[in-house]
Structures are given as C-alpha cells and as structure tokens.
Amino acid sequence: MSDSELSPLDQLKSKHNKEKKDLQAKITSLKHSIPKNDKKKKKEIMSTIEQMEGDLKAKHEVELKEFHSSLASLTISSNDSEVKTPSEQTTNNEQPINVEKRPTKAQKRREKKGQEMRRREEAALYDEQNAVFSQGKLETNAITQILQERSLRLVEIAPDGDCMYNALAYQINMELIVPV
C-alpha cells in the first residue's frame, strides 16, 4: 500500500516508526564511536542518547494528541443525531465502539484449539453412533457367541504394558481355582 492509501493515523504511525529506526541508527553509530577505555565520553554519549530518546518520545506523544484533538473537532452533525469519528462513537451510557479490532495471536490460538476440540467431539460422536456396525464390534460379537457355545467367556485384561503376563497369570489362577 502506498502512503496515499493509508489512513492518516496509519501514516502518522509509519512516520513515527521511521523516526524511531533513524534514531536507533544514530544511537548505534554513537555507541560505536566511543573509545573502549573512555568512561567519561561513554557517560556523555549515554546521557545524550537518553535525551534524544526522551525528546522523540515527547514529540510523538504531542503529535498523537494533536491528531486525536483534530479528529475530535471534525464531528459532523446530521439532522437527528451527531456523527463522530470511530474512536469517539458512543451511545448514551455505553462504552466506545471498537470499529476494527483484530484478534491477537493468543485469541487466534484459542479459537483454533476450540475448533479442533469441536471437530474431535464431533468425530467421537460419529464413531460412537457407528460403533454398532464397526468391524471390531462385529468380530467381538461373533467371538463372544462362539465362546458361549463352548461355555467359555472373554476376559478383558487392562493394557498396562504387563498385559501378556497378567493374562497368563489369570489363566494359571483359574486352573488352580477350578479343576478340570
């Protein structure tokens, strides 16, 4: 975008950013001009740098105040109501209306996380509804039916990393308890 396409506030902010960059370049060159062992010169230059930064900050604040005061004076009256600039739009006993508020990175991240959670919940619900006809469920039902015909049952063993050992231990204990 060229300067003519930017709003006056954006133009002022870009001007301020350019001035800050120029000041940073001056500060860097001043710091590099200090001899290594000259503490007195270093103190002088550091105080000069602080003065320059303070002056620039004060100048920017004054320019922003002037800009906002000039916006306040540009209110236009219509037939029934008064139209104000976006930064001043208020209704009786209400807070100012934010015209264009961009979401922060954290808000975007939270929204993305929320969308992902909703997608997962929908997928889980879909899986739960279709679980009756899933291949695993059909196989489990067929195995259970065969085991019932043989007077056996299916025992669930917790998958904790020792499940093979636990399954064997269960079988051994069952043989000890119920003689064949």
Side-chain angles (χ1 to χ4, degrees), residues 40-179:
K40 184 177 181 183
K41 182 80 169 172
K42 184 176 180 178
K43 236 181 197 180
E44 290 173 8
I45 290 181
M46 293 308 284
S47 66
T48 304
I49 289 171
E50 287 179 22
Q51 181 67 32
M52 289 168 46
E53 287 175 337
D55 292 345
L56 185 66
K57 187 175 180 180
K59 177 185 169 195
H60 287 176
E61 288 175 359
V62 168
E63 287 178 352
L64 280 173
K65 284 181 183 177
E66 289 175 0
F67 178 78
H68 288 298
S69 66
S70 68
L71 279 179
S73 66
L74 292 177
T75 57
I76 302 170
S77 298
S78 64
N79 292 341
D80 296 339
S81 64
E82 193 173 278
V83 177
K84 297 182 179 182
T85 60
S87 62
E88 296 178 356
Q89 286 183 351
T90 59
T91 56
N92 294 338
N93 299 326
E94 289 186 19
Q95 296 294 325
I97 299 172
N98 293 331
V99 175
E100 184 179 324
K101 189 171 186 177
R102 294 182 180 158
T104 63
K105 287 183 181 179
Q107 288 172 331
K108 288 179 184 178
R109 191 173 49 245
R110 283 190 292 266
E111 287 174 4
K112 187 175 179 182
K113 191 174 182 180
Q115 289 174 351
E116 182 66 21
M117 289 297 291
R118 282 189 294 277
R119 187 192 64 76
R120 285 183 185 168
E121 289 172 357
E122 289 171 1
L125 181 63
Y126 177 77
D127 288 345
E128 186 178 308
Q129 290 171 349
N130 294 327
V132 176
F133 303 110
S134 70
Q135 188 68 27
K137 186 73 168 178
L138 294 175
E139 286 178 0
T140 304
N141 289 341
I143 291 171
T144 305
Q145 185 178 7
I146 293 170
L147 290 174
Q148 284 177 350
E149 290 171 1
R150 297 182 182 176
S151 299
L152 299 172
R153 62 186 169 122
L154 186 65
V155 176
E156 292 288 327
I157 303 292
D160 59 358
D162 294 328
C163 52
M164 181 66 79
Y165 171 78
N166 291 336
L168 290 172
Y170 179 81
Q171 286 294 319
I172 291 170
N173 285 335
M174 285 304 294
E175 287 179 10
L176 294 175
I177 294 173
V178 180

